[in-house]
Amino acid sequence: MVAITLPDGSVRRFDSPISGLDLARDIGTGLAKAALGITIDGTPRDLSTVIESDARVSILTAKSGAEALDLLRHDAAHIMAEAVKELYPETQVTIGPSIENGFYYDFARPTPFTPDDLATIEARMAEIVDRNEAITREEWDRDEAVAFFLGLGEKYKAELIAAIPAGQTISLYRQGNFIDLCRGPHLPSTGKLGKAFKLMKLAGAYWRGDSRNEMLQRIYGTAWFDKKELDSYLHMLEEAEKRDHRRLGREMDLFHQQEEAAGSVFWHKKGWVLWRAVESYMRRQLEANDYQEVKTPQLVDYSLWEASGHADKFSENMFTITTQDDRHLAVKPMNCPCHVQIFRQGIKSYRDLPLRMAEFGSCHRYEPSGALHGIMRVRAFTQDDAHIFCTEDQITSETVAFCHLLKEVYQDFGFPDVRVKFSDRPAKRAGSDETWDKAESALVEAAKAAGLETELNPGEGAFYGPKLEFVLRDAIGRDWQCGTLQVDFVLPERLDAAYVAEDGSKKRPVMLHRAILGSFERFIGILIENFSGRFPLWLAPVQVVVTTIVSDADDYAREVQAALRAAGLRAELDLRNEKINYKVREHSVAKVPVLLVVGKREAENRAVAIRRLGGSDQEIVALDQAVATLVAESAPPA
């Protein structure tokens, strides 16, 4: 007897083991037709998998969300590989996973693919979908599988299989004449993929991500359950291209980057004004929430990073220096060990806790050249970093307070939609399992107390503790992971941080690592793209431009600018001998929120014509009234 518990809690009992497909048929013919796969006790499996013992089972359909979409995209990668092998038989296949919003496959081929090839491959993929080839799982002996793929000339696939321990079952999936190494699961047939897919771009990728290995050709694609979803995604990409922070940063004269300082940012005057507006806002929030702002060194002896454990986990991403007197130093990749050094100065009492220590810390981490992306992915960055030293009993209250602060900050910056992920212990970590059990339990309880709904992000915690990851959604529906909160019992022990407890004993503080923006560079990039450069008035680098219709109004325009600046507004002057429509268009491209246009009539009446960015109308108001209105509108959030 096999008892199967369905998602609604009902139980179906069968006299013998039953496949996922037969279970779907038993529930209903409509479900069997829509079925794509199953989950057994939460693990995705093929629809053909036989359920041999009591289990919780759900049937995956196109309405099953992320799990079903991942299944669909995984198959899209395999079908693309099949198409490539049919069209270009000399090509070797390597790996092809599903990823966020799509999939990719890496190919080894002497001749480069071209954009025209993508259209050809897409067309062949559609043919394979029409064939509706059955997708079946086969189990092979490892050595036989290695010999098989070597016989096909697939050395990369053979290398992957050879690395699997001897005696371990190898699963291959066959569809038509194409066979590939894969742990699965997969759709029942190629026809289930449908045709809401598109190949997007070509890129290079090193075999196994190692720059010492051969360069492969990567084809990226996207796949969805219907054309409406595909079209919506493609429209979002078009919008994202229009909002690209690199283009807007250039057009708005905010920053630039160049090869001589790869991974770093040259902030121009206007960009630095934006930076300072963000920094000033964050500093006000820190002060209002009783944080102590500190500053720590850039160069720190490598021994500190060895003691903290960072050298063991992140040495390949650290910039190091050996001095003439043989001191081995590292440019700090993060702030936490330095903050512990400040905590350790003098004797700390339980009365001093919680101690909230913040720093706008300049950090450096090595990123491969191919991973750099504008100001979103850099080597030199500034974190809005803080560490809360507290007792175990204070973890919950400090988490609740931090989550309240984070939500307020995101709301003020225009991001009301926030999701939270809970990331538990990674494979490579410091500390005992007992310590991790305690840290994870404490963070779970704190998250509940903060009223957070979390989704599990398995294995993605920091090496020293579990974390909450805060993901905000922008104006065009993209998700950005920015804020984090990590519970750390490990670092205080490793770096000998202690306080005197109420009973006079020496105890280790708990260290809460937290960030809200993440890095200033990346967050400002997100702001640029979210607002498409049309910042709210309090953030705009140039809030007002005063411009003239005729030169007779130049002196009055200078008075207007002076009045605006005296009121604290960031105002510039445009007295060029150009037509007013040309000036308006130019300042619109520069995303200036407000233009005050003045001519002879405005000068005589001591008035201004207010034109708003994106609007065609203008409003004539008295100068004093205009200044008062703009001052009120430009006030930063309290």
Side-chain angles (χ1 to χ4, degrees), residues 288-346:
N289 287 272
D290 198 26
Y291 281 81
Q292 303 176 10
E293 188 177 344
V294 299
K295 194 71 175 173
T296 57
Q298 289 291 292
L299 282 174
V300 181
D301 196 281
Y302 198 74
S303 61
L304 180 62
W305 307 106
E306 290 175 321
S308 69
H310 289 92
D312 181 46
K313 306 297 188 296
F314 297 109
S315 59
E316 68 277 9
N317 298 114
M318 294 172 67
F319 291 100
T320 59
I321 299 168
T322 300
T323 65
Q324 293 180 357
D325 58 354
D326 291 328
R327 290 287 299 275
H328 193 34
L329 309 175
V331 183
K332 70 174 178 182
M334 53 204 65
N335 301 305
C336 32
C338 295
H339 287 189
V340 177
Q341 304 315 300
I342 295 179
F343 181 86
R344 292 180 67 241
Q345 299 304 301

Side-chain angles (χ1 to χ4, degrees), residues 605-623:
N605 297 325
R606 298 199 62 77
V608 294
I610 302 178
R611 296 183 65 119
R612 306 277 183 171
L613 180 61
S616 56
D617 298 332
Q618 63 181 28
E619 180 186 8
I620 310 296
V621 298
L623 174 58

